[in-house]
Amino acid sequence: MGLTQIVHAAVEGRVRIKITGLYRSEPLKRFLELRLAALREVRLFSINLLTGKVLILFDPGTSTPTLLTQVERIVSDFYRQSPNKPSSSPCQEGEREVRSPESLLSPPNLSTPRALRKSIRRATEQESRPWHCLSAQSVIEHFGTDRTSGLSCERVQERLKKFGPNLLPESVPRSKWRIFIEQFKSLPVALLGVATVISLATGGLVEALVILSVVAINATIGCWTESQTERIIHSLKSLVRPSALVKRDGLLQEVGVGEIVPGDLLVLRPGTYVAADARLIETSHLSVDESALTGESLPVGKETEPLGDPGLPLADRHNMVYRGTLVTGGQGLAVVVATGRYTEIGQIQMLIGASKPPQTPMERQLQRVGSQLVYLSTAICIAIFLIGLLRGYGLLPMLKLSISLAVAAVPEGLPAVATTTLALGVRNMQRHRALIRHLEAVETLGSVQTICLDKTGTLTLNRMSIKAVHVNGKTYEVSQDRLMENGKTIHPYQSDELLRLVHLSVLCNESEVFEKNGEVLVSGSATENALLSLALAVGVNIQELRARYPLVSIQHRSENRNFMMTLHRTPDPNLALLALKGNPLEVLSLCSRCLINGEEVPLSEEDRLAIEWENQRMAGEALRVLGFAFGLGKANENPSSLMNPEEADSLTDGLVWVGLIGMGDPVRPGVKELIAAFHRTGIDTIMITGDQTPTAYAIGKELNLGRDGPLEILDSTHLNQMDPDVLKALCEKVHVFSRVTPAHKLQIVHALQSAGRVVAMTGDGINDGPALKAADIGVAMGKTGTDVAREVADVVLEDDNLQTMVVAIGQGRTIYNNIQKTVRYLLATNLSEIMVMSAATLGGAGPPLNVIQLLWINLISDIFPGLGLALDPPEPDVFIQPPRDPREPILRRGDFKRIGVSAALLSAGALGAYGYGWARYGVGPRASTLAFMSLCIGQILHALSCRSDQKPLLGLGSADRGLSPNRFLNVAVGGSLALQVAIPFLPGLRRLLGVTPIGFIDAWMIGFSALWPLVIQERLKPG
């Protein structure tokens, strides 16, 4: 278009438009504000005079071209009313070259009328600027933040009061009244409405009232079930309270995400979630997974240099990080520029508004089945209508009958039954201390085919204790935090190598030591806690040692460096100490010298082989082994808060090897039995660990991951260079992956998924975050797990009891099976009504059921027996059946055959009773009564047979072949039968339904014709 041009519209409901003449045009800006505020489709907008662009957030139901046309019309109106002509001056087109970045920080124009600003532009509370175009120092100065110490606590409180908590806008739960009204927005209800109008038009007031009553009862039940479901869904939002690392008052603090304010300094580390939109000011090999916001599947490398184009898409703003994205590698420091609803993800979420929770895949399947049934039943009912007319029946009675039959044939309650069943499954799992964060997870659990098990903290207790120490060719056992040699206690001060090793384990360590109630405690990771516990036990003064060697900076483990480095000042101001701990072979490869008898000597090949052999021996005893080394170099006069990579690389030349520490992490009680249970359910298990191959192999054998066969193990060191097809083939055969990095975990999960497997991933650490997110089902530990793991997981085990996974998988399978049973039941019963009406009409016997009787049958047999089936307990063999294929439809070819047979048997019973009545009493109410009672009772009893297509009802409760009792179904069937049998004895209800009194022989005939379909179906079962 002439006056407007789309700059960016990759996100639905969000568009950035460049407008001719907007650059520094206050009149056009005010005109746009007034007119855009009047558009109902527009939710929020931001106008930038310095870029000549408008960012508009609008209703996703409106197409982008339609919105652009409206904006074009507004701009055209402005120029028709104004003598000003649109300008395309060089300043506007080349604005990136002619203005300084600092000019972008000029105060916003406040000439907009106050009422308008208050109603549509509260964004002045948090300014929207092209922060990526500004230098890091400009952003720091704008927010009044100190680069090294961050904000003060007083300033944080001020900004928290001004801007509010850093919380995303939440969709408002629907009111019960709104849920009730929405029950009437369906095709079946529309058909019932047509039937009501026709009944009123033809004088059938009673029929119209009955139809309306049926609609009201259905709507009430649907409203109740959906209200319960929404309540459970909204309760899941409070499962995780994530935290973030910030610098305040010069201290590193962990605070709740809601307490982040603009100007805060965010500290970014691998595995952490970004808590707010922020401008990067320092980076070190930082990479971020932004797929949640941009859709880009690969992590993006980050930098700090300012960018030139203010209109760059989010995916290209490499000096920015955004809320909801995940740090996958490296480190960084960033200034928060937007919080809460002013973040990019917050603005998108505002567009969602009070929308209904998304449908599960199963709900979509069921809706598709329902739509197909609407078309099929409509076609059949049109045929019955035409045949009835040809047979000489009245136009209006046949029209009402056909419409009612079409509505009765469609199980409109199926999606509600499915949603309610899933929601009740979520609540049931909460009783087992398993928190399931969304409904889709329940049905996915039932189809899990492979479980990837993280070792540390999941299979093991993550309670590390040091078992052995190796220095100077000697191995010392550790018992009760004492170093032992040949049964004698050895003090580290007797050996320079031992003392140096303990000191390095204290310095290259992030765990903290504090005193509480007179007791010294350590806080941090299990591995680092164990190292400090040993140091405390042998008498090392940790605070004094750390004060002598203050920490300058840290380099955490990364994708290509499986060790941690810390840089320290030393008592000699000219020297810096580099301490390393990590994978023994990688640390050893950096060393050219070693400590022997307190002296640094060249590291010979024999020494290397001896160290490697000892490492293998300790790992073979299922110990996690760490190697330690150190280096001394020239001190940097101005060390940054993040270690300079070049400085670190120079210090790693010619390191001094010190020794090995082996620590054990006991396997959780019951895990071996759990692995066997997974195997019995047909689920493959894969252990993923960062441990060395011998350690991983020993634990894999202990857990019998190979199922009594050979244990296949793969060292993941060269996984990145492996062909994807080769990796996909290997993943289906390997039982254990060793020396795994977070990226490798992600690769393994993706490879299994590309092989068509439904993958569950368990984990507890920040390095498990990407894989937990990518897996079909992510399972995190609730007690010992990290915030990151809990935040991305679909299932959180509150008590860290992995045994609950078996219960959860069984629950998922049971829920899916129950919904299948309900679908088969509803389709069979509704199809039987069509068969009865079609056969009788085609045979010239007249419609055996009237409109009200059809509606009654649909009401009494569908709702409560259907819900009772949905609450069926697990079948005896649910845990030994193989996982279902998630690609298969909810109704398979064999199901259609069973549905057809069931419907035919029910129809035959009702038609038999109708034929008997026709022969004895002729066509009329008495024959219809027999058909009506027989069909309705037969359908109610059919719910009992639908509990299993394999196991018979006989021997109910027997452990070997029967089914466990279902009290919900028993109550539903018993209550429905009692109400149906009472109809002939209740004059008012009898007159309403057009039912006549029933004699003894008629009752016997009804009972026989209703019962024999159940008997035959039970006889056809193979079990």
Side-chain angles (χ1 to χ4, degrees):
M1 297 195 180
L3 299 173
T4 58
Q5 177 186 355
I6 292 180
V7 176
H8 186 257
V11 179
E12 185 180 9
R14 183 180 186 277
V15 65
R16 193 183 299 274
I17 303 172
K18 187 167 187 175
I19 296 179
T20 303
L22 179 59
Y23 177 67
R24 296 190 181 277
S25 174
E26 289 289 347
L28 178 53
K29 176 190 173 187
R30 289 195 291 271
F31 188 82
L32 284 169
E33 287 176 337
L34 289 168
R35 294 289 295 273
L36 289 175
L39 294 178
R40 288 184 300 176
E41 300 88 346
V42 174
R43 300 287 185 87
L44 195 69
F45 62 87
S46 174
I47 301 175
N48 194 322
L49 293 180
L50 297 175
T51 63
K53 297 170 186 174
V54 181
L55 174 66
I56 301 177
L57 304 180
F58 59 95
D59 190 338
T62 302
S63 67
T64 302
T66 301
L67 182 71
L68 188 65
T69 301
Q70 291 176 305
V71 176
E72 175 86 9
R73 188 180 300 118
I74 291 172
V75 179
S76 299
D77 290 346
F78 172 79
Y79 286 120
R80 278 198 301 271
Q81 300 171 21
S82 171
N84 299 320
K85 298 299 179 185
S87 166
S88 58
S89 66
C91 288
Q92 179 184 348
E93 298 301 325
E95 57 196 6
R96 292 195 301 272
E97 287 74 22
V98 300
R99 73 181 191 278
S100 65
E102 284 67 21
S103 68
L104 297 172
L105 295 174
S106 57
N109 182 275
L110 298 178
S111 59
T112 308
R114 181 179 178 184
L116 181 63
R117 291 204 312 272
K118 185 176 180 180
S119 61
I120 66 171
R121 297 218 55 209
R122 292 188 64 194
T124 53
E125 297 177 4
Q126 287 194 27
E127 297 175 77
S128 176
R129 302 289 186 193
W131 306 108
H132 58 283
C133 294
L134 309 177
S135 67
Q137 188 59 35
S138 300
V139 178
I140 291 171
E141 291 173 359
H142 175 74
F143 286 101
T145 303
D146 188 278
R147 190 184 191 110
T148 56
S149 61
L151 295 176
S152 65
C153 290
E154 293 77 13
R155 184 167 277 187
V156 168
Q157 292 304 315
E158 290 174 5
R159 294 187 181 182
L160 201 56
K161 288 179 182 178
K162 179 180 180 182
F163 300 122
N166 178 32
L167 300 176
L168 293 176
E170 292 187 1
S171 58
V172 180
R174 294 179 297 164
S175 66
K176 289 186 178 180
W177 176 248
R178 181 181 170 188
I179 295 174
F180 182 77
I181 294 297
E182 289 180 356
Q183 303 303 311
F184 300 93
K185 298 178 182 179
S186 67
L187 181 57
V189 174
L191 292 176
L192 279 173
V194 172
T196 304
V197 172
I198 294 174
S199 297
L200 288 172
T202 54
L205 179 60
V206 175
E207 292 180 354
L209 289 175
V210 170
I211 294 172
L212 289 175
S213 300
V214 171
V215 172
I217 292 171
N218 267 319
T220 301
I221 294 172
C223 176
W224 180 83
T225 56
E226 285 199 33
S227 297
Q228 294 296 308
T229 300
E230 275 211 2
R231 184 179 61 80
I232 293 173
I233 290 172
H234 281 279
S235 71
L236 300 178
K237 294 181 179 179
S238 60
L239 292 183
V240 177
R241 295 296 182 194
S243 58
L245 281 174
V246 295
K247 272 192 175 183
R248 290 179 182 171
D249 285 329
L251 300 175
L252 191 63
Q253 301 180 26
E254 186 174 357
V255 300
V257 165
E259 300 173 33
I260 302 295
V261 297
D264 256 327
L265 285 185
L266 279 183
V267 179
L268 306 175
R269 292 179 177 175
T272 58
Y273 261 79
V274 180
D277 291 4
R279 170 67 162 88
L280 288 163
I281 59 174
E282 293 178 9
T283 62
S284 176
H285 305 294
L286 182 67
S287 60
V288 180
D289 175 5
E290 297 182 333
S291 58
L293 193 61
T294 65
E296 295 283 347
S297 58
L298 296 176
V300 179
K302 293 295 182 176
E303 58 188 29
T304 60
E305 293 302 312
L307 303 171
D309 184 1
L312 275 178
L314 295 183
D316 296 331
R317 299 178 189 176
H318 298 319
N319 56 12
M320 298 286 295
V321 289
Y322 294 98
R323 177 166 182 160
T325 58
L326 177 68
V327 179
T328 58
Q331 302 166 88
L333 197 64
V335 180
V336 173
V337 298
T339 60
R341 64 191 181 98
Y342 300 103
T343 61
E344 291 291 338
I345 201 168
Q347 292 184 28
I348 294 172
Q349 195 158 332
M350 284 178 65
L351 298 177
I352 300 173
S355 60
K356 188 177 179 180
Q359 289 182 318
T360 67
M362 185 184 296
E363 284 183 280
R364 291 193 290 270
Q365 269 198 62
L366 293 177
Q367 279 202 348
R368 187 162 57 248
V369 170
S371 300
Q372 293 168 350
L373 286 171
V374 167
Y375 301 134
L376 177 62
S377 60
T378 301
I380 293 173
C381 294
I382 290 173
I384 292 175
F385 171 74
L386 295 175
I387 292 170
L389 293 180
L390 294 175
R391 290 283 186 181
Y393 302 114
L395 175 65
L396 288 180
M398 285 306 301
L399 182 60
K400 289 192 291 183
L401 188 67
S402 299
I403 291 175
S404 299
L405 184 59
V407 175
V410 177
E412 65 271 12
L414 263 184
V417 168
T419 307
T420 303
T421 307
L422 292 170
L424 291 175
V426 169
R427 192 169 67 181
N428 184 48
M429 289 312 303
Q430 286 176 337
R431 296 193 190 103
H432 288 89
R433 309 295 302 278
L435 306 179
I436 298 178
R437 299 186 63 182
H438 50 85
L439 297 186
E440 293 95 326
V442 182
E443 59 182 277
T444 308
L445 275 167
S447 57
V448 169
Q449 297 166 314
T450 302
I451 295 184
C452 295
L453 299 154
D454 175 64
K455 180 189 76 72
T456 305
T458 305
L459 295 178
T460 60
L461 291 171
N462 200 17
R463 295 176 189 164
M464 288 288 186
S465 59
I466 296 176
K467 302 295 184 184
V469 173
H470 179 82
V471 294
N472 195 12
K474 294 181 181 180
T475 299
Y476 302 90
E477 293 182 0
V478 180
S479 176
Q480 299 179 345
D481 288 331
R482 291 186 303 166
L483 291 164
M484 310 287 292
E485 183 184 22
N486 299 323
K488 296 180 180 180
T489 301
I490 302 296
H491 200 282
Y493 287 91
Q494 297 176 236
S495 166
D496 188 68
E497 293 83 6
L498 273 176
L499 184 61
R500 191 74 63 93
L501 181 65
V502 173
H503 282 181
L504 288 174
S505 71
V506 170
L507 295 175
C508 192
N509 194 315
E510 287 190 282
S511 287
E512 297 293 334
V513 179
F514 60 96
E515 220 174 290
K516 185 176 182 182
N517 299 326
E519 184 181 359
V520 178
L521 301 175
V522 292
S523 174
S525 71
T527 298
E528 297 192 333
N529 286 351
L531 296 173
L532 290 193
S533 296
L534 177 63
L536 288 169
V538 297
V540 174
N541 189 322
I542 293 175
Q543 288 89 344
E544 182 181 325
L545 178 64
R546 287 180 169 177
R548 287 184 62 209
Y549 297 91
L551 178 67
V552 174
S553 56
I554 300 175
Q555 279 274 359
H556 293 92
R557 293 194 328 171
S558 66
E559 300 293 337
N560 302 313
R561 191 182 62 243
N562 201 16
F563 54 85
M564 172 183 173
M565 295 189 294
T566 56
L567 187 64
H568 304 263
R569 293 190 181 93
T570 69
D572 184 343
N574 297 318
L575 289 178
L577 170 69
L578 182 69
L580 278 79
K581 82 166 185 290
N583 182 281
L585 298 183
E586 291 191 39
V587 174
L588 184 62
S589 67
L590 301 173
C591 297
S592 61
R593 291 167 293 162
C594 66
L595 276 183
I596 295 181
N597 298 323
E599 295 183 4
E600 296 181 13
V601 299
L603 188 63
S604 66
E605 286 302 314
E606 290 77 8
D607 294 331
R608 289 182 187 275
L609 289 173
I611 294 169
E612 290 175 6
W613 183 90
E614 182 61 25
N615 171 48
Q616 292 283 339
R617 189 194 66 78
M618 293 170 70
E621 295 179 356
L623 297 181
R624 182 183 183 188
V625 188
L626 295 175
F628 289 81
F630 73 93
L632 291 172
K634 185 177 179 181
N636 188 343
E637 294 181 0
N638 298 301
S640 64
S641 59
L642 295 173
M643 184 182 292
N644 185 306
E646 289 76 18
E647 179 186 353
D649 290 340
S650 66
L651 285 173
T652 54
D653 291 335
L655 295 179
V656 180
W657 173 263
V658 178
L660 299 168
I661 291 181
M663 53 186 67
D665 184 9
V667 172
R668 287 181 182 273
V671 166
K672 187 173 181 179
E673 293 75 16
L674 173 68
I675 298 297
F678 283 144
H679 292 166
R680 284 195 300 273
T681 59
I683 297 174
D684 295 327
T685 54
I686 295 175
M687 187 176 80
I688 300 177
T689 176
D691 288 338
Q692 300 177 80
T693 300
T695 308
Y697 186 85
I699 295 174
K701 289 294 288 184
E702 181 183 351
L703 297 177
N704 193 26
L705 294 175
R707 304 191 188 194
D708 297 322
L711 184 72
E712 301 294 338
I713 187 166
L714 179 67
D715 188 306
S716 304
T717 307
H718 303 294
L719 214 58
N720 291 330
Q721 288 78 40
M722 194 173 292
D723 183 89
D725 291 331
V726 175
L727 178 59
K728 181 167 66 175
L730 283 174
C731 281
E732 294 185 285
K733 297 179 180 179
V734 173
H735 305 115
V736 178
F737 287 89
S738 63
R739 299 182 70 186
V740 169
T741 67
H744 292 153
K745 293 180 182 181
L746 200 58
Q747 278 183 281
I748 293 165
V749 169
H750 284 157
L752 286 165
Q753 290 172 327
S754 65
R757 312 286 290 176
V758 178
V759 182
M761 173 75 199
T762 68
D764 69 328
I766 58 175
N767 60 338
D768 300 316
L772 287 171
K773 181 182 176 183
D776 297 284
I777 289 288
V779 183
M781 303 296 110
K783 189 183 295 184
T784 59
T786 59
D787 284 343
V788 172
R790 289 192 294 266
E791 189 174 353
V792 299
D794 305 292
V795 180
V796 179
L797 305 179
E798 280 190 297
D799 55 1
D800 291 2
N801 185 4
L802 205 57
Q803 299 273 1
T804 310
M805 275 299 294
V806 177
V807 180
I809 289 171
Q811 181 76 25
R813 292 183 179 186
T814 299
I815 286 173
Y816 188 85
N817 292 343
N818 288 350
I819 292 176
Q820 271 190 323
K821 296 173 189 178
T822 306
V823 172
R824 290 198 293 259
Y825 168 72
L826 293 177
L827 294 187
T829 54
N830 292 3
L831 182 59
S832 67
E833 296 165 27
I834 292 181
M835 286 184 173
V836 168
M837 298 298 291
S838 303
T841 304
L842 288 171
L849 304 173
N850 61 39
V851 173
I852 298 178
Q853 288 172 346
L854 278 171
L855 293 171
W856 174 267
I857 292 174
N858 215 34
L859 179 67
I860 199 73
S861 66
D862 276 11
I863 297 175
F864 296 109
L867 283 173
L869 274 175
L871 298 173
D872 212 27
E875 292 190 35
D877 59 353
V878 70
F879 290 104
I880 60 175
Q881 291 292 325
R884 69 178 180 86
D885 186 348
R887 293 167 295 187
E888 72 178 17
I890 195 166
L891 289 178
R892 298 163 298 213
R893 185 172 298 177
D895 294 326
F896 285 108
K897 180 181 177 181
R898 279 191 291 270
I899 290 169
V901 170
S902 301
L905 289 172
L906 291 169
S907 303
L911 289 171
Y914 184 62
Y916 159 79
W918 189 22
R920 184 174 181 182
Y921 305 113
V923 176
R926 302 192 73 174
S928 293
T929 298
L930 293 172
F932 168 64
M933 296 294 292
S934 173
L935 182 60
C936 194
I937 294 174
Q939 287 187 359
I940 295 170
L941 292 175
H942 179 59
L944 298 174
S945 181
C946 286
R947 291 191 61 196
S948 175
D949 55 7
Q950 300 291 325
K951 301 290 182 182
L953 290 174
L954 297 177
L956 192 68
S958 171
D960 58 340
R961 63 191 303 271
L963 301 169
S964 301
N966 181 349
R967 59 186 180 89
F968 301 104
L969 183 60
N970 293 341
V971 170
V973 168
S976 300
L977 280 176
L979 186 57
Q980 183 66 24
V981 171
I983 289 175
F985 305 101
L986 302 173
L989 193 57
R990 189 175 66 210
R991 285 194 299 273
L992 178 66
L993 294 171
V995 174
T996 61
I998 296 173
F1000 175 77
I1001 298 177
D1002 292 347
W1004 184 90
M1005 186 65 195
I1006 289 171
F1008 174 78
S1009 58
L1011 192 59
W1012 80 270
L1014 176 65
V1015 174
I1016 292 177
Q1017 287 185 91
E1018 290 301 299
R1019 296 282 294 176
L1020 292 175
K1021 290 181 180 179

